[in-house]
Amino acid sequence: MEELAVCHLYGNLLNTYGDNGNLLMLNHRAKQMGIHLNTEIISLKDDFDPKKYDLVFFGGGQDYEQLIVSRDIQSKKAALTEYIEAGGVTLAICGGYQLLGHYYMDASGNKIDGIGALDHYTLSQDNSRFIGDIIIKNEEFGETYVGFENHNGMTFLGKGEKPLGVVQQGKGNNGEDKTEGAIYKQTYCSYFHGPLLVKNTILADRLLHAAMDRKKQKN
């Protein structure tokens, strides 16, 4: 049986709205493909080895947990950036998405540092959130993704980033430019909770195939 090494970044701290369900769906689809996932949580004070993993999952959390993570993840900045730049397959949801960028502003107006592995930043809305069902379309893949968004952040994409999809219904990254999520190399980001991959198994399959292809290329 084929195997993939999976890193669950801060899996003991970040699981807002059941985001860990993305890993359950990855496991389910992987078994159907004859692939076994070896999943390891990398959390506070742990080292991240950019050459060890085939797939990384990074979920979201409340402001308190994300503040703790934002401080710790600075020690993993170089290694995570190396992994992403080398085409490592990554899925980042909500807070994880924000922390891969330069910074985000929390609901209290504090600037929380990300690692700048991706060139986006996130502002905060005043006493408002984007909440509701959302539909986006990725024209490049010819795929439509459905889900649920619930976020205060307004994220603006930067150099080298493409949106995960164009908003057909809902608000997306910022409610202004019709983008939702981000794709940079093999890193996929989204604000979809629910979780994302349960409602969009075609994307789960895309991540698994990408991870397998990269592993074969490395070997």
Side-chain angles (χ1 to χ4, degrees):
M1 178 178 279
E2 299 280 2
E3 294 190 353
L4 290 173
V6 178
C7 169
H8 189 183
L9 269 180
Y10 303 101
N12 57 334
L13 291 172
L14 305 180
N15 182 31
T16 302
Y17 310 120
D19 287 336
N20 288 356
N22 288 302
L23 285 178
L24 295 176
M25 181 51 70
L26 284 170
N27 269 292
H28 174 68
R29 299 299 288 183
K31 286 179 181 178
Q32 294 181 324
M33 298 178 190
I35 302 169
H36 176 69
L37 302 187
N38 292 313
T39 303
E40 178 183 11
I41 291 177
I42 295 296
S43 191
L44 303 177
K45 299 183 179 179
D46 295 333
D47 291 330
F48 175 82
D49 182 350
K51 294 180 172 59
K52 182 177 181 180
Y53 301 104
D54 303 303
L55 196 154
V56 171
F57 175 63
F58 193 4
Q62 302 298 322
D63 284 344
Y64 176 74
E65 288 82 7
Q66 285 188 191
L67 180 58
I68 293 171
V69 169
S70 73
R71 293 168 177 162
D72 182 84
I73 200 173
Q74 302 307 321
S75 66
K76 302 173 179 58
K77 175 178 179 176
L80 283 166
T81 301
E82 178 184 336
Y83 172 83
I84 289 171
E85 286 295 328
V89 180
T90 307
L91 175 63
I93 302 294
C94 202
Y97 172 19
Q98 294 172 351
L99 285 167
L100 289 183
H102 293 294
Y103 65 87
Y104 75 90
M105 305 299 295
D106 70 13
S108 300
N110 301 306
K111 185 177 180 180
I112 311 299
D113 288 335
I115 61 171
L118 275 65
D119 189 31
H120 58 258
Y121 63 93
T122 302
L123 305 180
S124 177
Q125 300 179 63
D126 292 330
N127 302 312
S128 183
R129 298 180 71 84
F130 294 144
I131 303 175
D133 294 327
I134 180 167
I135 302 171
I136 64 174
K137 184 168 184 181
N138 185 299
E139 297 285 356
E140 181 180 352
F141 302 150
E143 297 170 359
T144 297
Y145 309 131
V146 300
F148 186 83
E149 60 181 342
N150 184 351
H151 56 104
N152 169 264
M154 298 174 62
T155 296
F156 296 87
L157 304 184
K159 185 178 179 181
E161 292 184 287
K162 298 179 292 186
L164 177 64
V166 176
V167 175
Q168 310 290 302
Q169 174 188 325
K171 298 297 185 181
N173 281 333
N174 50 56
E176 297 177 6
D177 60 18
K178 295 292 185 180
T179 66
E180 202 293 315
I183 300 176
Y184 175 76
K185 296 194 173 184
Q186 294 279 25
T187 292
Y188 295 75
C189 306
S190 179
Y191 274 114
F192 280 34
H193 290 296
L196 169 68
L197 300 183
V198 172
K199 295 182 178 180
N200 303 282
T201 55
I202 193 169
L203 186 54
D205 294 351
R206 179 175 295 282
L207 294 170
L208 290 167
H209 285 306
M212 285 301 303
D213 289 346
R214 181 170 181 264
K215 182 177 181 179
K216 290 173 182 175
Q217 291 171 4
K218 285 166 57 180
N219 295 338

